[in-house]
Amino acid sequence: TSVDTTVALNTPAGSLNADVTYGPKDESYNGQIKAPHINLARLAPIADRNAEITGSIAFNASGQGTVKNPELKATLDAPELHVGTQDLSGLKAKADIANQEAKVTLASTVSGAPIQANGTVNLTGEHQAHMTVQSQTIQLGPLLAAFVPQAPAGLKGETQIRASLDGPLSAPQQVRAQIEIPSLSLSYQALQIGAAAPIRAEYRDGVVTLEHSELKGTDTDLQLQGSLPIRAPGAVQVSATGGVDLHLIQLMDGQLDTSGRIDLNVSAQGTAARPEIKGTVRVSDASVIPAGSPVGLEQANGEIDIGNGRAEIKTLTGQVGGGTLMARGFATYSPSVQFNLGLKADGVRLLFNGVRTTSGADLNLTGTPASGLLGGQIFIDNLSLTKSFDLANFAGQLSGSSTVVTSSSLEQNIKLNVAVLSRGQMNVQSSQLSMEGSVNLQVRGTVADPVILGRTDIVSGEVFFEGKRFEVQNGVIQFANPLETEPVLNLVVTTTVQQFNLTLDFVGPIDRLRTTYTSDPPLSPVDIIDLLVSGHTTEAAQASPTTPQSLLAQGLSSEVSSRFQKLVGISSLTIDPQIGGNQTNAPSQLAIQQRVTKNLFFTFATDVTTTQGQVVQVEYQVTKRYSLSAIRDQTGGYQVEVKMHKVF
């Protein structure tokens, strides 16, 4: 008796047909399986894992015999496969099982180079095997572009591979394998590196041995050799000596600007479970600057001693942002990985988003990769704003939602406890803003998700915003949310529009501010808002409706002022009918205000349609309450004013 089975399977990936006859008594079989076209992208195991594998395969298998003495012929054809951005063309695999032996052949083309693999495996006993792999010249540029996203465009390289395996698969320690790389070279622009001679490695008696190999290239000569027991007891003997030009890092990451040199003399002995690594690593004039980063490491020099299961920084100094940097501490690698590293910096200058700072730091990193702590202090010595700083954009960034960034597990496992402090009273100045205050913040959370806590106190200052000067009476920016960085503002500012002294009190998170408006003489909040926006109260605006010309002037002011202020560095540019000049030609009035020093202001107003009607004012803020101004009006007359600000 026999069992006949027929299967016809249709799936989104393709169809499969099978006809099999099986004799239970003598364990004989006779059958065939055909899958003429399988779309790999639609196979569930590939689609569910979002694996970047596309293309199609055709599979055929037929045979007869018994379970104990099988006979089978199988073929697999894949004209075009795409793994990520890498193409594999002309893949053909064949398997022929007969007389208790399996013969396998595989051929394909990778980066334009044919690769051939052949092998035989005995199906009885210890499964003796003999396999070989050989390639012609493989172009490394397309391969690295596919699997190393940071590799620079224009990277070129070549290599070849020869490999063989002999021995019983059931006893891996008795298997003998060899791999030889006859040639290896990489080049990018003027950088070059390659193997000075064929690289050979062997696996025998459970030990991997790398023959003496030498990599030479741009100011680089690195020699490697050693043996490492994998499946047998024995001593580790590995060494690496020579020097490497750090320019060569750009072969693997084109986003880094690197220079300098590393010289090393390192050897490892002992056992595979407890290797004893000894030696020194010297860093000379090293620089690593990521593309687009506001800061990078420059002129790093130092020496690291390796021994007794740890690497210790003997000396390591450098420059970051024009300031000095010194690293200290050690990291252990046996019996477990732990670190105790310190970093001290001083005079580091940083420019980011129009904010320029000079700062120092004293930081410590302790713990393990599974549980670490970065603590210490960052000191702000000076903070200033460039002409490109835009207060409105900066406020928008603070209130915007944060972008989710994928982080590594190490970043998630390192907690933060870093204090950010200002050394003494801090002055922040630009053409549009001047502040005095202090910073006392704490950075908590993790490296992957930092959270700012603490407060920033503002004791005085002024802000030029939307063409108006606002004096800061006092303010606090509080960070109290332990789950996310959320600045909460409590700020009191004053300004003068016409004869009205206006006070604005901002309270709440940046994106949900509550504003209280008061004035002297008293006005309703609606009138105060009208004064700030249009320069008129509601009653005055109704009595003197805005003309089309004045609307045009306001639009021109909003479009031109921000660009002109950044270009020439003035504090405020307005086109305002209420400032100076001939009031009969109101839309043509131009006023420029510049803060010369912290307490000295210069204002110039003119009618742009005539050489007459110019007003010049120089104001000196003696104290918060008193100011002195000298004015030359449009008729050529002079007047001196003493102003006192008093809150009732």
Side-chain angles (χ1 to χ4, degrees):
T1 60
S2 63
V3 179
D4 296 324
T5 302
T6 300
V7 176
L9 182 64
N10 291 307
T11 70
S15 62
L16 183 145
N17 297 290
D19 292 308
V20 178
T21 300
Y22 178 69
K25 186 174 181 179
D26 57 0
E27 296 184 328
S28 64
Y29 68 88
N30 185 349
Q32 61 180 2
I33 300 174
K34 292 184 178 181
H37 183 87
I38 300 296
N39 188 332
L40 295 178
R42 294 188 175 184
L43 278 178
I46 295 177
D48 293 345
R49 292 172 175 79
N50 294 320
E52 297 182 359
I53 301 177
T54 59
S56 62
I57 62 173
F59 176 76
N60 288 280
S62 63
Q64 60 183 3
T66 65
V67 174
K68 294 181 179 180
N69 187 19
E71 292 186 9
L72 179 70
K73 293 181 181 290
T75 62
L76 185 148
D77 292 318
E80 287 190 15
L81 286 181
H82 307 281
V83 182
T85 59
Q86 179 59 38
D87 298 334
L88 304 176
S89 60
L91 175 63
K92 292 180 179 292
K94 294 182 180 181
D96 190 351
I97 300 174
N99 301 321
Q100 302 296 334
E101 185 180 68
K103 296 181 179 180
V104 179
T105 63
L106 185 146
S108 183
T109 300
V110 179
S111 293
I115 294 180
Q116 184 77 32
N118 298 279
T120 61
V121 178
N122 196 310
L123 300 182
T124 61
E126 294 183 333
H127 304 297
Q128 287 288 334
H130 173 74
M131 298 181 184
T132 61
V133 178
Q134 186 170 348
S135 78
Q136 296 184 19
T137 301
I138 300 173
Q139 300 299 321
L140 292 176
L143 276 177
L144 292 174
F147 297 105
V148 184
Q150 301 87 355
L155 178 65
K156 299 179 181 179
E158 294 181 348
T159 191
Q160 292 177 301
I161 298 175
R162 298 172 186 166
S164 64
L165 181 146
D166 289 281
L169 297 183
S170 60
Q173 69 276 9
Q174 298 179 26
V175 171
R176 178 179 176 182
Q178 292 179 325
I179 184 169
E180 179 182 3
I181 302 176
S183 62
L184 173 66
S185 65
L186 283 173
S187 65
Y188 171 66
Q189 297 180 352
L191 302 176
Q192 295 181 346
I193 191 171
I199 299 174
R200 297 184 179 92
E202 181 182 49
Y203 174 79
R204 178 187 287 186
D205 298 329
V207 178
V208 176
T209 302
L210 174 67
E211 295 184 8
H212 181 273
S213 302
E214 186 174 11
L215 299 177
K216 301 191 72 172
T218 305
D219 294 330
T220 296
D221 188 351
L222 182 63
Q223 300 179 45
L224 306 168
Q225 64 179 359
S227 61
L228 180 65
I230 302 296
R231 290 182 171 271
V236 173
Q237 295 286 341
V238 179
S239 67
T241 59
V244 178
D245 190 324
L246 292 180
H247 280 108
L248 294 174
I249 294 178
Q250 297 174 37
L251 293 173
M252 293 294 101
D253 193 341
Q255 299 300 310
L256 293 177
D257 183 7
T258 56
S259 62
R261 182 179 175 85
I262 289 181
D263 292 281
L264 63 158
N265 184 358
V266 179
S267 63
Q269 298 178 347
T271 64
R274 297 287 299 270
E276 296 180 6
I277 305 175
K278 296 182 180 180
T280 58
V281 178
R282 292 184 177 86
V283 181
S284 303
D285 294 325
S287 295
V288 180
I289 304 175
S293 173
V295 68
L297 176 65
E298 300 178 88
Q299 298 182 18
N301 292 275
E303 183 174 327
I304 301 173
D305 287 339
I306 303 175
N308 299 321
R310 73 185 212 169
E312 183 171 2
I313 299 174
K314 191 174 181 180
T315 62
L316 184 59
T317 61
Q319 292 187 1
V320 175
T324 60
L325 178 145
M326 182 178 66
R328 62 187 184 275
F330 62 89
T332 66
Y333 54 86
S334 179
S336 63
V337 177
Q338 296 183 345
F339 38 77
N340 188 343
L341 302 171
L343 187 69
K344 191 171 185 178
D346 192 31
V348 176
R349 296 189 296 272
L350 178 65
L351 175 61
F352 186 68
N353 282 349
V355 180
R356 181 185 290 112
T357 64
T358 303
S359 59
D362 192 353
L363 302 174
N364 293 279
L365 176 62
T366 58
T368 68
S371 178
L373 174 65
L374 177 61
Q377 294 179 320
I378 296 176
F379 303 100
I380 301 176
D381 296 315
N382 185 36
L383 191 150
S384 61
L385 308 175
T386 66
K387 293 180 180 179
S388 64
F389 177 80
D390 191 303
L391 181 60
N393 289 342
F394 183 74
Q397 290 174 359
L398 282 179
S399 60
S401 59
S402 59
T403 301
V404 177
V405 179
T406 303
S407 57
S408 66
S409 58
L410 180 62
E411 293 173 328
Q412 296 171 353
N413 294 337
I414 297 181
K415 296 180 180 180
L416 296 173
N417 185 12
V418 178
V420 181
L421 308 169
S422 57
R423 298 190 188 184
Q425 197 81 341
M426 188 172 63
N427 297 321
V428 182
Q429 295 187 12
S430 74
S431 61
Q432 292 182 303
L433 181 140
S434 175
M435 294 285 181
E436 289 186 6
S438 60
V439 174
N440 187 352
L441 302 174
Q442 290 282 333
V443 183
R444 300 292 179 88
T446 66
V447 173
D449 188 18
V451 177
I452 298 177
L453 300 172
R455 61 185 287 160
T456 297
D457 293 293
I458 303 172
V459 297
S460 65
E462 65 267 344
V463 179
F464 289 88
F465 193 69
E466 299 297 336
K468 296 179 178 61
R469 176 190 172 198
F470 295 86
E471 294 186 42
V472 178
Q473 302 303 314
N474 59 75
V476 175
I477 304 176
Q478 188 85 22
F479 299 83
N481 190 338
L483 301 179
E484 63 178 353
T485 300
E486 184 182 39
V488 178
L489 191 66
N490 190 341
L491 182 68
V492 178
V493 300
T494 61
T495 188
T496 301
V497 180
Q498 296 187 21
Q499 76 274 24
F500 296 96
N501 296 319
L502 309 180
T503 300
L504 285 72
D505 191 354
F506 301 96
V507 179
I510 295 294
D511 57 345
R512 302 187 303 276
L513 277 178
R514 302 188 308 276
T515 308
T516 303
Y517 304 90
T518 57
S519 70
D520 182 19
L523 290 172
S524 68
V526 173
D527 277 330
I528 296 175
I529 294 173
D530 279 344
L531 271 176
L532 291 171
V533 174
S534 64
H536 306 279
T537 63
T538 304
E539 182 180 356
Q542 293 174 350
S544 178
T546 303
T547 64
Q549 291 86 355
S550 63
L551 284 174
L552 178 63
Q554 292 175 10
L556 179 63
S557 173
S558 63
E559 291 292 330
V560 174
S561 62
S562 63
R563 294 177 176 85
F564 190 75
Q565 288 167 217
K566 293 179 182 179
L567 177 65
V568 301
I570 65 173
S571 300
S572 175
L573 168 66
T574 60
I575 300 174
D576 192 339
Q578 303 300 317
I579 303 180
N582 183 1
Q583 297 301 311
T584 62
N585 193 20
S588 300
Q589 309 310 311
L590 177 70
I592 295 174
Q593 188 172 59
Q594 171 67 45
R595 177 160 48 82
V596 181
T597 66
K598 175 183 174 183
N599 299 321
L600 184 63
F601 297 87
F602 174 83
T603 302
F604 173 79
T606 185
D607 185 337
V608 297
T609 62
T610 177
T611 58
Q612 304 296 323
Q614 297 175 344
V615 176
V616 177
Q617 174 180 318
V618 177
E619 180 180 355
Y620 182 73
Q621 189 80 34
V622 181
T623 66
K624 290 184 179 181
R625 295 184 59 190
Y626 297 97
S627 65
L628 178 67
S629 64
I631 304 172
R632 177 191 178 277
D633 61 25
Q634 59 266 35
T635 63
Y638 292 87
Q639 65 185 50
V640 176
E641 294 181 351
V642 177
K643 297 180 181 180
M644 181 183 72
H645 176 73
K646 184 174 179 60
V647 178
F648 296 93

